[in-house]
Amino acid sequence: MKNQLTLDMKFSASQKILLLLTSILFISFTTINEDPKDRLNVKGPLSFGNTSFKLSWAAKPKETYFVQEYLPDGESLNSFSQMLTINLFVSDIEVKNAVDQKINELTKRKKTDSVCHYEVNESPDGKEFIVDFLVSETKDNKMTTVEFNVYRYKQIDIEGTKKAIVVYSYSKRAYGNEISTFLESLGKERGTYLNHMISSEVPTIKISDK
């Protein structure tokens, strides 16, 4: 990564985790793993609504950061329409701080992304947050991709001694000529996606990185 040495020198460990937490906006990892390594003991398949998702990609970009992506049968990482993702950050950062970082990022993005919009919901006990948001990508002044995301933030214990933040997310995409219909239907379907995430069980995670 460009200037990684400089970043490592400038930021503390906690700050670098927060940077990673904001870096998972509108990204999909397109390096294909024919046999992705399940480091989180969440082999799947996972369910969201009536759709089943299988493990399609996994990586450990940092010593304290794990990511695993799940797709429905027949979908491709290069052009998916739906995806479930588990991002795990081993850190004692408070969930509220992580959510605030995401809100700050989305607020800045709204200045250059006309589609960008977000809402935040907090659980009654204050231990979990759901951030749902809409973003887009443009090429040659033409909107090419629109993505709706529901991120569920939760602090968990790993191996009984380490704190971690898990971001369990659902993404729904539309491309090109499909975008107008997608945006029109999202107003009705957004509540369904939120309810699916609220009713979902956050996968039980156990790091297995051998």
Side-chain angles (χ1 to χ4, degrees), residues 107-143:
T107 299
K108 291 178 181 178
R109 188 184 182 99
K110 288 180 72 172
K111 297 177 181 179
T112 57
D113 185 348
S114 61
V115 167
C116 184
H117 179 77
Y118 68 88
E119 291 194 20
V120 182
N121 288 283
E122 181 178 358
S123 64
D125 60 9
K127 295 182 178 180
E128 295 188 39
F129 290 81
I130 289 181
V131 181
D132 71 286
F133 59 93
L134 184 68
V135 290
S136 68
E137 283 189 343
T138 302
K139 184 177 181 180
D140 298 329
N141 295 318
K142 184 177 181 180
M143 195 175 297

Side-chain angles (χ1 to χ4, degrees), residues 26 56 61 63 65 119-120 135 151 186 195 202:
F26 203 88
S56 301
E63 187 64 28
Y65 174 33
E119 291 194 20
V120 182
V135 290
Y151 281 17
L186 185 59
N195 286 334
V202 175

Side-chain angles (χ1 to χ4, degrees), residues 37 41 48 50 66 78 97 122 161 196 206:
K37 182 177 180 181
N41 278 284
F48 191 84
N50 296 321
F66 301 79
N78 292 316
N97 290 340
E122 181 178 358
T161 58
H196 286 333
K206 182 181 178 182

